[in-house]
């Protein structure tokens, strides 16, 4: 049997999706440097590298305005470089550390490129629109070399690179006047074979895929009539005909309850399973798009998932994961295919592999009753998987585990309507157990149930227990994504602080929302809340912080530096004094919350658009605090702030640059920001001058150390060293 697990979003596809902003759509998705990375190319200017398990972008590269990436960006697995072609003929090659594509390797080719194919153990292959093929290294030796044109009147519809042993094989399909042709390029013998695909009456091929085994290429074709055909192409061609006709055989008819599934794309999963993305139209009903898995051996539909938001018709599959667009997001769904047998084909196979599928359940998408059923089934399967135990010990373990399973299931049901005190008692009892199968998933399930109850019942909010759960367990944002949304709604700053410090995968939009909330809450309100001050207590004078700031401002606004800068307004003078970095512009509670934001992981590409929406006054306040931290951290030679989870100098500098990048124009125009910018400028200039002077005497100091090692001084001596 086959199973589709709950999906998750890899990124948004529109400007409002909070993702990569692929307003023009997806051009292609290619495998990245390892199995957990994918390369996303949009139909415009941008390529993005994602880490799938973390749902995080690792890098983003764009060509200049006016240029367009015209074929999918691929990874050279031999050199770990990325290869792109823009405007059909311009080749670019770069590495992870490169940022500006204008400064990376560039080569202008003599012909238009259709696609680049990268192989795990070999040079990438470059296929040109005229049918010519070159390996990348040969092409780079002479980028302007002449490229053959084999198919001047034909249009390439699809291509794929295969490996037979160590020999690369390129296969591509073309179309001309309704006729389809298949070309096979063998590099070892430098031979190109052309075939004509047998025509199908009233139907045309929509999608192709191929694999190679025992010197035979198996080409699968998805036709518009809802059928999948198989074509066998031997690598050893015996016929001398210039255009041999390929016959095809019916592999699979896509019928669901008498209705035909009109597929748009498909992929091969193993020798007995294929996945098809398409639309199903039942009689008298509207068309429904869905993702399906079929068993080709027994001609059965194994599983399907309806996609109500629609797709682009594209489907990719890497590492037991499907990738496709769904509405305005790029969705990932994990699948499992088991051994093909008649029992599995009709859904009657009972196997311990079910535990692999249940481990990918997305707890957040299940109702409370489904949570109970899923959790119980997962735990019971885990118990059954201990196949090497003796029968007696297995009975004992099941007997002991049975009350645990019932307790968890009962707890999830009790969360729906029991009192907070009763729920907390049961939760404490659950957490006190020494061993529990899939403990992290169980905690995620419990938190999801608590959050669902909070949404339904505004009065219910077990704050203390949620803080305890998050503070002591290794959890993540993706395991309980609605938790921070509920905390933001309740303005539970303490819980948000803990989440920011402990969750490694918080989306940039949530990080920005937390920052905005923290800056908007008054210090008076925060003084009455429970906030962990460990990150600030060692460098902020909690007792006299506010008093010191007020004392400085009362002094008629006079300052020598302001006189030198010709700032004649009293307001500007006061602002400068408040921003000179000597006193903290926020209370200790707000400072601790802002430190939690500084610790949160982020990608500059995706955080910067959100920061541009931060109100100007809040941006100025945040920059004042960053300036204060910058001055404080620079007071000691180690540039390290004391305390637990205190921000590092790199974090401070990165956030200062982010705020200035997002609000530079506003900062320049705001009168109250003038003194702050001036103070920042003077402080940075003074530090640059200081380090410059240190660099000047670096050679002398090294010489002193060398002399000191050479001389053996007595107990007491006076030495005069002349520095020239």
């Amino acid at each position: 049997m086959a199973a589709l697990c709950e999906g998750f979003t890899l990124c948004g596809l529109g400007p409002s999706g909070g993702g990569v902003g692929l307003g023009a759509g997806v051009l292609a998705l290619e495998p990245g440097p390892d199995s957990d990375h994918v390369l996303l190319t949009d139909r415009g200017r941008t390529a993005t590298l994602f880490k799938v398990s973390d749902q995080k972008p690792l890098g983003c590269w764009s060509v200049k305005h006016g240029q367009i990436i015209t074929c999918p960006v691929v990874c050279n697995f031999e050199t770990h470089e990325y290869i792109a072609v823009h405007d059909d003929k311009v080749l670019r090659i770069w590495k992870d550390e490169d940022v500006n594509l204008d400064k990376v390797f560039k080569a202008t080719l003599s012909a238009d490129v259709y696609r680049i194919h990268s192989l795990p153990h070999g040079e990438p292959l470059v296929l040109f629109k005229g049918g010519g093929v070159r390996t990348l290294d040969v092409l780079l030796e002479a980028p302007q070399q002449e490229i053959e044109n084999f198919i001047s009147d034909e249009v390439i519809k699809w291509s794929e690179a295969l490996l037979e042993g160590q020999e690369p094989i390129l296969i591509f399909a073309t179309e001309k006047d309704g006729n389809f042709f298949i070309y096979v390029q063998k590099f070892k013998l430098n031979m190109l074979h052309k075939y004509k695909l047998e025509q199908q009456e009233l139907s045309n091929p929509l999608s192709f895929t191929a694999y190679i085994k025992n010197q035979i290429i198996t080409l699968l074709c998805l036709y518009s009539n809802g059928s999948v055909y198989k074509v066998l192409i031997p690598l050893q061609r015996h016929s001398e005909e210039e255009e041999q006709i390929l016959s095809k055989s019916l592999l699979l008819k896509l019928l669901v309850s008498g209705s035909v599934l009109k597929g748009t794309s498909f992929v091969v999963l193993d020798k007995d399973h294929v996945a098809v993305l398409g639309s199903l139209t039942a009689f008298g009903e509207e068309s429904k798009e869905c993702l399906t898995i079929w068993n080709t051996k027994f001609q059965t539909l194994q599983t399907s998932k309806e996609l109500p938001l629609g797709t682009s018709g594209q489907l990719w599959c890497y590492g037991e994961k499907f990738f496709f667009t769904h509405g305005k997001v790029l969705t990932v769904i994990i699948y499992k295919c088991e051994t093909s047998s008649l029992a599995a084909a009709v859904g009657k196979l009972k196997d311990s592999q079910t535990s692999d599928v249940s481990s990918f359940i997305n707890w957040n998408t299940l109702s409370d009753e489904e949570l109970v059923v899923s959790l119980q089934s997962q735990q019971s399967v885990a118990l059954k998987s201990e196949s090497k135990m003796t029968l007696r010990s297995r009975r004992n373990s099941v007997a002991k585990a049975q009350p645990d399973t019932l307790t968890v299931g009962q707890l999830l049901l009790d969360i729906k309507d029991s009192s907070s005190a009763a729920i907390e008692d049961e939760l404490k009892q659950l957490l006190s157990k020494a061993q529990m199968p899939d403990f992290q998933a169980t905690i995620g399930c419990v938190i999801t149930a608590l959050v669902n109850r909070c949404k339904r019942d505004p009065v219910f909010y077990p704050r203390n227990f949620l803080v305890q759960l998050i503070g002591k367990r290794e959890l993540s944002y993706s395991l309980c994504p609605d938790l921070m949304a509920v905390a933001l709604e309740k303005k539970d700053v303490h819980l948000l602080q803990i989440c920011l410090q402990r969750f490694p995968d918080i989306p940039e939009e949530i990080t920005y929302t937390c920052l905005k909330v923290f800056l908007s809450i008054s210090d008076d309100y925060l003084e009455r809340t429970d906030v962990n001050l460990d990150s600030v207590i060692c460098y902020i004078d909690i007792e006299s912080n506010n008093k010191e700031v007020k004392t400085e401002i009362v002094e008629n606004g006079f300052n020598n530096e302001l006189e030198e800068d010709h700032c004649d307004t009293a307001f500007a003078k006061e602002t400068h004094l408040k921003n000179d970095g000597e006193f903290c512009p926020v209370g200790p509670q707000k400072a601790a919350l802002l430190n939690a934001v500084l610790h949160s992981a982020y990608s500059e590409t995706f955080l910067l658009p959100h920061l541009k929406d931060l109100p100007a006054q809040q941006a100025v306040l945040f920059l004042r605090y960053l300036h204060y931290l910058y001055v404080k951290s620079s007071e000691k030679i180690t540039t390290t702030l004391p305390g637990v989870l205190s921000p590092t100098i790199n974090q401070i500098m990165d956030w200062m640059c982010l705020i200035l990048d997002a609000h530079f124009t506003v900062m320049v125009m705001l009168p109250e920001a003038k003194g702050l910018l001036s103070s920042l400028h003077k402080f940075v200039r003074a530090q640059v001058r200081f380090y410059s002077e240190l660099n000047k005497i670096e050679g002398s100091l090294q010489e002193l150390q060398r002399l000191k090692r050479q001389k053996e001084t007595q107990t007491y001596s006076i030495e005069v060293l002349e520095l020239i």
Side-chain angles (χ1 to χ4, degrees):
M1 61 178 288
L4 291 171
C5 306
E6 288 296 328
F8 58 88
T9 297
L10 183 61
C11 67
L13 299 179
S16 61
V20 293
L22 305 181
V26 178
L27 178 62
L29 194 76
E30 293 287 327
D34 62 43
S35 59
D36 196 28
H37 292 168
V38 291
L39 265 171
L40 181 65
T41 308
D42 72 7
R43 295 184 182 274
R45 305 168 40 235
T46 306
T48 308
L49 178 68
F50 283 95
K51 186 174 182 181
V52 180
S53 59
D54 291 345
Q55 305 164 45
K56 284 280 187 180
L58 301 180
C60 185
W61 303 274
S62 297
V63 295
K64 292 193 300 186
H65 284 282
Q67 298 175 343
I68 297 177
I69 298 177
T70 48
C71 79
V73 176
V74 299
C75 177
N76 186 339
F77 300 111
E78 294 289 309
T79 64
H80 284 208
E81 295 175 321
Y82 304 105
I83 312 165
V85 174
H86 64 82
D87 303 316
D88 294 317
K89 293 184 179 180
V90 184
L91 186 74
R92 298 278 188 177
I93 301 177
W94 72 93
K95 292 189 175 183
D96 281 313
E97 57 267 24
D98 294 316
V99 177
N100 189 348
L101 292 190
D102 284 338
K103 298 181 180 179
V104 302
F105 176 83
K106 172 185 176 182
T108 302
L109 310 178
S110 62
D112 291 350
V113 175
Y114 172 74
R115 188 146 190 170
I116 301 175
H117 291 282
S118 190
L119 295 167
H121 305 289
E123 275 291 309
L125 307 177
V126 183
L127 173 62
F128 292 86
K129 291 184 178 180
V133 183
R134 295 286 189 278
T135 58
L136 183 63
D137 55 354
V138 171
L139 186 62
L140 293 180
E141 289 176 2
Q144 283 295 308
Q145 62 186 274
E146 185 179 351
I147 306 297
E148 307 85 0
N149 191 340
F150 300 112
I151 54 171
S152 56
D153 296 331
E154 301 169 23
V155 179
I156 301 179
K157 295 294 185 180
W158 164 85
S159 64
E160 186 64 76
L162 308 170
L163 272 178
E164 174 62 20
Q166 296 298 318
E167 181 186 2
I169 306 289
L170 188 71
I171 178 173
F172 58 95
T174 66
E175 187 267 337
K176 178 185 176 182
D177 300 329
N179 295 312
F180 285 81
F181 304 92
I182 305 298
Y183 291 83
V184 177
Q185 171 78 57
K186 294 191 287 185
F187 287 86
K188 193 173 183 179
L189 302 175
N190 194 23
M191 297 177 63
L192 179 66
H193 291 157
K194 180 179 180 180
Y195 304 87
K196 183 178 180 180
L197 195 60
E198 181 184 15
Q199 285 189 313
Q200 178 73 25
E201 189 176 353
L202 302 177
S203 182
N204 291 318
L206 301 176
S207 181
F208 301 87
T209 189
Y211 60 91
I212 190 169
K213 186 178 181 181
N214 299 329
Q215 295 285 310
I216 296 177
I217 297 175
T218 301
L219 176 68
L220 302 183
C221 313
L222 174 63
Y223 275 74
S224 55
N225 63 358
S227 300
V228 178
Y229 291 90
K230 179 170 71 172
V231 179
L232 299 179
I233 308 174
L235 287 181
Q236 302 297 329
R237 183 170 177 174
H238 302 292
S239 174
E240 297 299 325
E241 297 179 32
E242 184 177 344
E243 193 178 277
Q244 182 179 343
I245 296 178
L246 295 172
S247 60
K248 60 184 185 296
S249 59
L250 181 64
L251 178 68
L252 181 66
K253 190 73 175 176
L254 304 176
L255 286 175
V256 181
S257 302
S259 301
V260 177
L261 176 69
K262 294 184 177 180
T264 55
S265 58
F266 75 125
V267 293
V268 175
L269 306 182
D270 57 32
K271 64 185 182 69
D272 294 324
H273 293 91
V274 296
V276 182
L277 183 68
S279 58
L280 183 66
T281 306
F283 181 76
E285 296 182 7
E286 292 184 0
S287 176
K288 297 178 181 178
E289 292 193 59
C290 54
L291 175 63
T292 57
I293 297 180
W294 297 77
N295 187 308
T296 57
K297 187 175 181 179
F298 297 105
Q299 303 284 303
T300 56
L301 173 65
Q302 293 291 276
T303 185
S304 66
K305 184 176 184 65
E306 189 175 327
L307 307 171
L309 301 180
T311 72
S312 64
Q314 300 160 292
L315 178 65
W316 301 275
C317 179
Y318 302 116
E320 294 193 341
K321 299 181 185 72
F322 292 126
F323 299 81
F324 56 89
T325 62
H326 187 211
K328 294 185 178 181
V329 299
L330 182 65
T331 297
V332 183
I333 289 185
I334 300 171
Y335 71 89
K336 288 290 176 182
C337 282
E338 298 177 357
T339 305
S340 181
S341 65
L342 186 59
V346 297
K348 299 297 183 182
L349 182 66
K350 293 184 178 179
D351 194 278
S352 61
Q353 293 179 5
T354 310
S355 61
D356 295 334
V357 177
S358 63
S359 65
F360 291 108
I361 291 174
N362 184 344
W363 303 109
N364 191 57
T365 61
L366 302 179
S367 65
D368 294 328
E369 290 81 1
E370 291 171 324
L371 284 171
V372 177
V373 174
S374 299
L375 190 60
Q376 288 179 342
S377 63
Q378 186 173 355
Q379 291 176 335
S380 63
V381 168
L383 291 171
K384 293 177 182 178
S385 64
E386 301 294 333
S387 57
K388 294 183 180 180
M389 297 172 62
T390 62
L391 181 61
R392 180 177 299 177
S393 61
R394 178 179 293 185
R395 285 174 179 171
N396 292 338
S397 64
V398 172
K400 291 178 182 178
Q402 188 67 20
D404 294 353
T405 306
L406 292 174
T407 302
V408 175
Q410 185 60 45
L411 170 61
L412 295 176
L413 293 176
D414 289 345
I415 287 175
K416 293 181 62 177
D417 48 20
S418 298
S419 65
S420 299
I423 293 173
E424 288 200 18
D425 289 341
E426 293 190 24
L427 286 171
K428 290 176 182 177
Q429 184 181 355
L430 173 68
L431 295 177
S432 65
K433 293 172 184 174
Q435 294 182 349
M436 184 187 302
D438 298 318
F439 185 78
Q440 189 179 33
T442 302
I443 296 301
C445 175
V446 169
I447 293 178
T448 299
L450 291 171
V451 170
N452 290 340
R453 169 77 182 273
C454 293
K455 291 179 179 178
R456 293 192 307 267
D457 183 3
V459 180
F460 178 81
Y461 187 62
R463 176 185 176 278
N464 294 334
F465 197 78
L466 287 172
V467 168
Q468 180 184 349
L469 274 178
I470 302 301
K472 294 184 178 180
R473 308 292 168 185
E474 294 298 328
L475 301 174
S476 64
Y477 177 88
S478 54
L479 198 61
C480 42
D482 287 341
L483 175 63
M484 292 188 72
V486 171
L488 283 167
E489 184 181 348
K490 303 282 187 181
K491 288 191 176 182
D492 188 347
V493 293
H494 189 199
L495 182 58
L496 291 172
Q497 180 190 25
I498 296 174
C499 291
L500 286 167
Q501 291 172 342
R502 299 188 67 86
F503 286 176
D505 57 345
I506 300 174
E508 285 77 2
E509 185 176 3
I510 299 296
T511 302
Y512 160 75
T513 307
C514 291
L515 173 63
K516 187 176 179 181
V517 168
F518 293 164
L519 290 170
S520 64
I521 298 177
S522 67
D523 287 330
D524 292 337
Y525 175 83
L526 289 175
E527 286 180 2
R528 302 190 299 270
T529 60
D530 182 17
V531 176
N532 188 342
L533 301 179
D534 288 348
S535 66
V536 300
I537 198 169
C538 293
Y539 64 86
I540 291 182
D541 190 347
I542 296 177
E543 296 297 329
S544 58
N545 181 59
N546 294 330
K547 296 178 184 178
E548 289 179 337
V549 173
K550 292 176 183 176
T551 304
E552 285 291 313
I553 296 171
V554 171
E555 294 181 0
N556 296 326
F558 178 78
N559 185 285
N560 289 331
E561 292 181 357
L562 286 174
E563 291 295 322
E564 294 171 3
D565 289 341
H566 306 290
C567 299
D568 22 17
T569 65
F571 182 80
K573 296 172 186 175
E574 290 182 2
T575 304
H576 181 74
L577 280 171
K578 281 189 284 186
N579 292 320
D580 63 2
E582 185 178 353
F583 304 109
C584 184
V586 298
Q589 287 81 11
K590 184 172 291 188
L593 296 175
L594 295 178
N595 286 354
V597 173
L598 298 184
H599 270 281
S600 182
Y602 66 89
S603 168
E604 180 179 342
T605 304
F606 303 104
L607 180 60
L608 196 58
H610 295 296
L611 287 178
K612 291 180 180 179
D613 297 330
L614 191 68
Q617 300 298 331
Q618 293 184 8
V620 172
L621 178 61
F622 189 37
L623 191 58
R624 285 178 185 165
Y625 178 63
L626 292 171
H627 178 212
Y628 168 77
L629 291 179
Y630 184 38
V631 173
K632 275 288 182 183
S633 61
S634 302
E635 288 177 351
K636 297 183 178 180
I637 195 168
T638 58
T639 66
T640 302
L641 290 171
V644 180
L645 294 177
S646 298
T648 64
I649 186 67
N650 288 335
Q651 290 170 336
I652 297 166
M653 292 297 294
D654 289 344
W655 275 92
M656 286 178 73
C657 293
L658 276 173
I659 294 298
L660 288 172
D661 285 345
H663 292 274
F664 184 74
T665 305
V666 177
M667 293 286 182
V668 172
M669 300 296 292
L670 277 177
E672 55 265 39
K674 183 176 181 181
L676 172 61
L677 295 179
S678 176
S679 180
L680 272 172
H681 172 68
K682 289 180 180 179
F683 189 79
V684 172
R685 185 176 60 187
Q687 285 213 313
V688 170
R689 188 181 297 117
F690 173 69
Y691 284 109
S692 177
E693 294 297 325
L694 285 179
N695 286 332
K696 290 179 182 178
I697 65 171
E698 182 181 7
S700 300
L701 293 175
Q702 290 176 349
E703 183 67 14
L704 284 175
Q705 287 183 336
R706 188 181 67 83
L707 292 172
K708 188 174 182 181
R709 284 196 299 268
Q710 288 180 350
K711 280 191 174 183
E712 290 186 5
T713 58
Q714 301 299 324
T715 307
Y716 175 78
S717 67
I718 297 176
E719 297 182 36
V720 179
L721 300 174
E722 186 175 344
L723 299 178
I724 301 175

